[in-house]
Amino acid sequence: MTKTLFINARLIDPVAQTDSLGALLVKDGMIAEVFETAEPEVKGAVVVNCAGHCLAPGIVDIGVKVSEPGERHKESFRSAGRAAAAGGVTTIVTRPDTLPAIDTPEVLEFVARRAAQDAAVRVLPMAALTKGREGREMTEIGFLQDAGAVAFTDCDRVITNTKVFSRALTYANSLDALVIAHVQEPNLSDGAAVTSGKFASLRGLPAVSPMAERMALDRDIALLEMTGARYHADQITTARALPALERAKRNGLRITAGVGVHHLTLNELDVADYRTFFKLKPPLRSENDRLAVVQAVADGLIDIICSMHTPQDEESKRLPYEEAASGAVGLETLLPAALRLYHAEMISLPQLFAALSLNPSRLMGLETGRLREGAPADLVWFDPDAPFQLDRTNLQSKSKNTPFDGARLQGVVLGTWVGGTLVGDK
Amino acid sequence: MTFNAQHLLGIEHLHPVEITTLLDLADQYAEQTRRGVRHKDVLAGLTQINMFFENSTRTQASFELAGKRLGADVMSMAMQASSITKGETLIDTALTLNAMHPDLLVVRHPHSGAVDLLAQKVNCAVLNAGDGRHEHPTQALLDALTIRRAKGRLHRLSIAICGDIAHSRVARSNIMLLGKMENRIRLIAPPTLMPTGMDEFGCEVFTDMREGLKDVDVVMMLRLQKERMDGGFIPSEREYFHRYGLDAEKLSYAKPDAIVMHPGPMNRGVEIDGNIADDINRSVIQTQVEMGVAVRMAAMDLLAQNLRAKRAAREDAVC
């Protein structure tokens, strides 16, 4: 029986919404006791002195792209696991937009096996909602669920055929499967590289109105009223979509929403002179949208903050802006970037960890995300104030496409534990 | 020296003094060309490569002629036919060319920002001959010179830019240049061809041609870029001509001595009435073409001076 005692820890509890000094005992991979005193006596325990820094439930990141199968040169389970451990992420929920798409139990089993072999953190795979993510026929949702798929999504492809989508939702509902959708009206946003506005006009780039997000969300909400399915909008990034989300929640629909950390910390102007590392999907928004979305996270209207980790190699990014691939890596920068909101006094640490750990755990039906007896000891120990300048070449990810290269950030992960085992430390 | 740029990528980063310096020199070149004075020594020994990733006749010919008049060794490459179709990336093409040590690189590309990207990878002077919907600086400069010669000044004029602004790099560069020189800019376009946020650039925005043309000194027409339109922006060309095409009746709302400009090639009967385009009292379209060569000579002359100064400084540092 192994015992680890974390003393002098600033415990961040997203359930009680507290941030206080205490200690925590881990036994056999589970949290055995939480102490209100900083230095309790426990016999036979290995002591970790947290030195007054934060100890919080490990981050559960929904929507991580690991490029296996198909593009292992961009990111493998080993490199993604290392990146997650370095970033305080203890569970990654992976996307099925691989090559080929994860749309059969066979491919899912391959992914689960690779993850078990190589990844340092917990991996929960998602599967495609339609075959080949083509929006025509639904996948074998039941078999995939049996094989371990935790949610169903076509990732950044929107199912344009409402008949197909409503049937998939209805069927998924019968299995109580979670459906995750990208909210972006596909015709309006076709070919767009940035959000419309003065900046887009100045740079002469094809642009999409922020209204495209609300249009897609409105449609999906109508379908939820019809089908009653369990639904999560992957990224809500505009102010205009928020009232619709609020109404849908108030009406008792089973809807939750997430947002990528980049949309919380960057805006459209960061693209500057066609910097393709800032090309995301959906594109970065105006500053007003960013502030509205940050407020929505603080209010709990948006439930989840994720990294939308999307590895891309140099070749797919070193192109003219319109032709360059979208997406950014984020596993290692998720926490320090999110801490910008804490340092800007827009959000407290317990609120932040509700969005990073507790809410995604609840959505996935996990016991993690909590600092209480009986919960798995998935923990992150970090100094929220330690400053550093990010050098992308030091990232653990195989791909280095981060928009934060050279950025000054605060917040260093000192240790990451999965099931009581140390998987990454400074 | 009042022109410090290493490249000519856009009007956005030029200072008004740099613009004036360039226009003054271009003015001299225009006069001397008319008198038959040759300047084969200015770019002697330098290599100019024209890389056009998009079809062009006039701009390419203009750059070629400008380089030849100044004595450069000029090579033109039509890029569709070469390595791009074999899958080579823009940056690889740039590096390959860079290894051949050109001195002046003239680039046109269908994507916004592509020329900026290329300029980061080469160590010669890069001239943007048009990138996507972003900028076309030499066009704006030649328009400015044409206006200055016709109106005697390039400030406090009321200038209307009409037509397909959404797809036009010419419009963006002109808005930037004419704004820097403190002119009043009026933009006239159907709302589907007007980019968002244009009023924030300090422009007045109109959807009615007659209202927009009222008392302007300069009418700048734009080509309807049919090749960039991927869906219905306008109902038909005849309705477009009826509402936005420049004819004598609409032009009568402008000042009696207002000049008419067009960057070419023209769609006669779509955005401009042939009679207006050919009216020697109003149309300065032929002058624009003439000034185009002069402006490009001036731009390459100034960039070559900066390039030589930079290389000399580097050699001094080595010695």
Side-chain angles (χ1 to χ4, degrees):
Chain A
M1 220 163 64
T2 55
K3 281 195 248 180
T4 313
L5 182 67
F6 296 85
I7 61 166
N8 287 321
R10 184 174 157 193
L11 298 175
I12 310 297
D13 184 344
V15 178
Q17 285 290 306
T18 54
D19 173 354
S20 55
L21 211 61
L24 189 123
L25 180 67
V26 171
K27 204 153 67 175
D28 294 332
M30 308 298 261
I31 297 173
E33 201 173 342
V34 182
F35 303 91
E36 286 182 2
T37 50
E39 296 182 36
E41 291 283 321
V42 177
K43 275 186 188 149
V46 182
V47 173
V48 176
N49 190 337
C50 294
H53 296 314
C54 296
L55 190 67
I59 296 166
V60 177
D61 194 1
I62 298 178
V64 173
K65 167 98 178 258
V66 177
S67 311
E68 283 192 61
E71 296 175 299
R72 215 157 105 179
H73 65 287
K74 291 187 178 179
E75 193 82 285
S76 65
F77 278 104
R78 186 182 299 276
S79 62
R82 275 203 308 261
V89 177
T90 51
T91 301
I92 56 177
V93 181
T94 60
R95 298 206 311 249
D97 54 345
T98 47
L99 289 174
I102 302 167
D103 59 356
T104 61
E106 290 76 15
V107 183
L108 191 80
E109 271 163 28
F110 165 81
V111 167
R113 193 173 68 245
R114 290 284 307 123
Q117 277 169 357
D118 272 358
V121 299
R122 296 183 206 270
V123 177
L124 300 176
M126 297 193 280
L129 184 62
T130 64
K131 286 175 188 158
R133 302 195 297 127
E134 283 171 358
R136 284 201 288 270
E137 292 171 75
M138 70 176 93
T139 51
E140 295 169 311
I141 297 175
F143 280 155
L144 284 161
Q145 217 177 16
D146 293 343
V150 291
F152 296 83
T153 177
D154 278 359
C155 302
D156 61 356
R157 292 204 195 148
V158 178
I159 302 177
T160 45
N161 187 328
T162 31
K163 196 177 270 180
V164 171
F165 194 37
S166 67
R167 282 183 191 144
L169 284 167
T170 306
Y171 192 85
N173 189 35
S174 72
L175 294 161
D176 201 34
L178 176 69
V179 173
I180 299 184
H182 185 65
V183 279
Q184 196 71 202
E185 211 295 310
N187 291 315
L188 202 57
S189 58
D190 184 34
V194 287
T195 305
S196 62
K198 184 185 170 190
F199 179 77
S201 297
L202 181 67
R203 285 286 173 268
L205 290 169
V208 59
S209 163
M211 197 61 98
E213 183 171 291
R214 194 191 109 187
M215 288 168 72
L217 184 65
D218 276 338
R219 180 198 76 161
D220 288 2
I221 288 171
L223 288 170
L224 294 185
E225 278 186 37
M226 227 166 92
T227 60
R230 206 150 68 84
Y231 173 98
H232 175 73
D234 66 347
Q235 301 176 76
I236 296 292
T237 57
T238 61
R240 285 225 166 98
L242 295 171
L245 177 65
E246 199 271 327
R247 235 179 0 257
K249 284 191 164 186
R250 188 155 23 88
N251 291 343
L253 296 179
R254 298 201 290 169
I255 182 171
T256 51
V259 61
V261 73
H262 300 117
H263 288 89
L264 292 172
T265 49
L266 304 168
N267 68 28
E268 57 185 352
L269 300 180
D270 285 304
V271 171
D273 286 326
Y274 304 100
R275 295 194 290 174
T276 56
F277 280 12
F278 292 80
K279 185 176 181 185
L280 306 173
K281 213 170 176 185
L284 287 169
R285 305 301 193 181
S286 70
E287 179 64 3
N288 286 342
D289 278 331
R290 184 186 78 85
L291 293 173
V293 171
V294 170
Q295 188 58 46
V297 173
D299 295 343
L301 177 59
I302 290 179
D303 308 87
I304 287 165
I305 300 174
C306 58
S307 71
M308 273 294 147
H309 184 81
T310 307
Q312 298 288 6
D313 53 17
E314 304 283 311
E315 280 66 40
S316 44
K317 281 288 187 185
R318 282 171 56 191
L319 292 171
Y321 198 84
E322 282 168 66
E323 289 185 320
S326 304
V329 291
L331 280 168
E332 285 156 86
T333 45
L334 174 57
L335 183 57
L339 284 170
R340 278 189 172 178
L341 306 179
Y342 161 70
H343 291 296
E345 295 179 356
M346 298 165 111
I347 198 164
S348 72
L349 284 176
Q351 279 176 318
L352 198 58
F353 275 86
L356 287 169
S357 306
L358 176 64
N359 294 343
S361 292
R362 281 185 175 151
L363 188 64
M364 292 292 147
L366 308 171
E367 290 301 312
T368 55
R370 299 143 174 103
L371 288 188
R372 68 158 184 236
E373 250 179 77
D378 288 10
L379 301 167
V380 51
W381 171 35
F382 66 98
D383 178 350
D385 301 313
F388 70 101
Q389 190 171 12
L390 187 89
D391 176 356
R392 71 190 184 104
T393 55
N394 294 337
L395 292 178
Q396 299 289 331
S397 282
K398 278 192 182 178
S399 295
K400 316 288 184 194
N401 54 312
T402 173
F404 292 115
D405 185 35
R408 290 165 203 281
L409 295 161
Q410 268 182 287
V412 170
V413 173
L414 302 169
T416 306
W417 287 263
V418 175
T421 307
L422 184 67
V423 293
D425 60 359
K426 186 79 186 169
Chain B
M1 173 60 95
T2 42
F3 189 90
N4 296 314
Q6 298 294 326
H7 306 293
L8 182 63
L9 300 177
I11 301 297
E12 192 186 351
H13 301 297
L14 286 185
H15 189 275
V17 175
E18 290 179 305
I19 294 171
T20 306
T21 304
L22 200 152
L23 293 181
D24 289 347
L25 183 60
D27 217 2
Q28 282 177 32
Y29 275 129
E31 285 308 319
Q32 290 168 354
T33 303
R34 280 186 183 176
R35 284 192 275 116
V37 182
R38 292 286 174 264
H39 297 274
K40 286 285 184 189
D41 52 329
V42 174
L43 297 182
L46 298 184
T47 309
Q48 173 195 342
I49 300 183
N50 300 333
M51 267 167 71
F52 279 66
F53 293 88
E54 204 179 54
N55 281 327
S56 161
T57 317
R58 357 172 108 236
T59 307
Q60 190 172 339
S62 183
F63 267 110
E64 217 171 303
L65 196 57
K68 283 181 174 161
R69 284 199 178 145
L70 295 179
D73 299 313
V74 185
M75 184 175 85
S76 288
M77 299 166 74
M79 297 307 292
Q80 293 96 327
S82 80
S83 42
I84 292 296
T85 44
K86 295 176 196 158
E88 190 178 62
T89 65
L90 179 63
I91 287 181
D92 286 333
T93 308
L95 293 176
T96 306
L97 274 175
N98 195 43
M100 299 178 192
H101 298 289
D103 304 291
L104 295 157
L105 201 55
V106 178
V107 188
R108 167 171 288 190
H109 197 281
H111 291 309
S112 305
V115 182
D116 295 59
L117 179 67
L118 199 142
Q120 293 164 16
K121 307 291 172 189
V122 295
N123 42 27
C124 58
V126 177
L127 288 100
N128 183 357
D131 62 327
R133 312 169 179 181
H134 180 219
E135 282 230 43
H136 191 352
T138 54
Q139 179 70 43
L141 288 161
L142 77 87
D143 288 343
L145 184 57
T146 308
I147 295 171
R148 201 172 81 168
R149 286 172 74 109
K151 290 286 160 196
R153 64 174 200 270
L154 190 59
H155 55 88
R156 272 181 279 143
L157 291 168
S158 180
I159 299 167
I161 304 177
C162 322
D164 184 359
I165 294 165
H167 297 98
S168 177
R169 51 195 174 214
V170 176
R172 281 173 180 76
S173 288
N174 266 316
I175 290 166
M176 220 101 62
L177 192 153
L178 297 170
K180 278 181 202 256
M181 306 313 275
E182 300 182 2
N183 294 284
R184 241 176 108 178
I185 305 168
R186 308 177 128 212
L187 303 177
I188 312 168
T192 47
L193 291 174
M194 181 73 78
T196 46
M198 295 316 284
D199 45 340
E200 293 176 55
F201 288 95
C203 303
E204 290 173 84
V205 174
F206 296 90
T207 52
D208 183 290
M209 192 85 172
R210 292 174 183 85
E211 203 183 315
L213 286 182
K214 197 153 174 18
D215 296 330
V216 298
D217 299 292
V218 178
V219 184
M220 218 180 245
M221 298 306 297
L222 297 170
R223 188 170 64 89
L224 194 64
Q225 303 213 22
K226 295 178 230 169
E227 72 278 12
R228 283 183 209 280
M229 294 191 181
D230 55 349
F233 286 86
I234 51 163
S236 72
E237 287 182 7
R238 62 179 192 179
E239 180 164 331
Y240 184 77
F241 181 68
H242 177 69
R243 297 193 61 205
Y244 294 98
L246 187 68
D247 54 18
E249 190 267 325
K250 294 193 194 90
L251 184 57
S252 68
Y253 287 82
K255 279 192 187 153
D257 62 342
I259 55 168
V260 174
M261 307 175 74
H262 193 294
M266 278 182 280
N267 298 309
R268 285 170 188 259
V270 180
E271 69 257 354
I272 192 163
D273 186 334
N275 291 331
I276 299 289
D278 298 333
D279 181 349
I280 50 165
N281 295 317
R282 308 302 291 271
S283 162
V284 293
I285 296 171
Q286 296 310 315
T287 316
Q288 285 177 278
V289 178
E290 185 191 351
M291 293 308 124
V293 180
V295 153
R296 285 162 186 135
M297 287 167 82
M300 288 197 284
D301 182 355
L302 291 169
L303 288 176
Q305 287 179 33
N306 290 351
L307 187 72
R308 285 187 169 126
K310 195 173 100 180
R311 284 177 181 169
R314 198 182 308 146
E315 268 166 36
D316 286 350
V318 171
C319 293

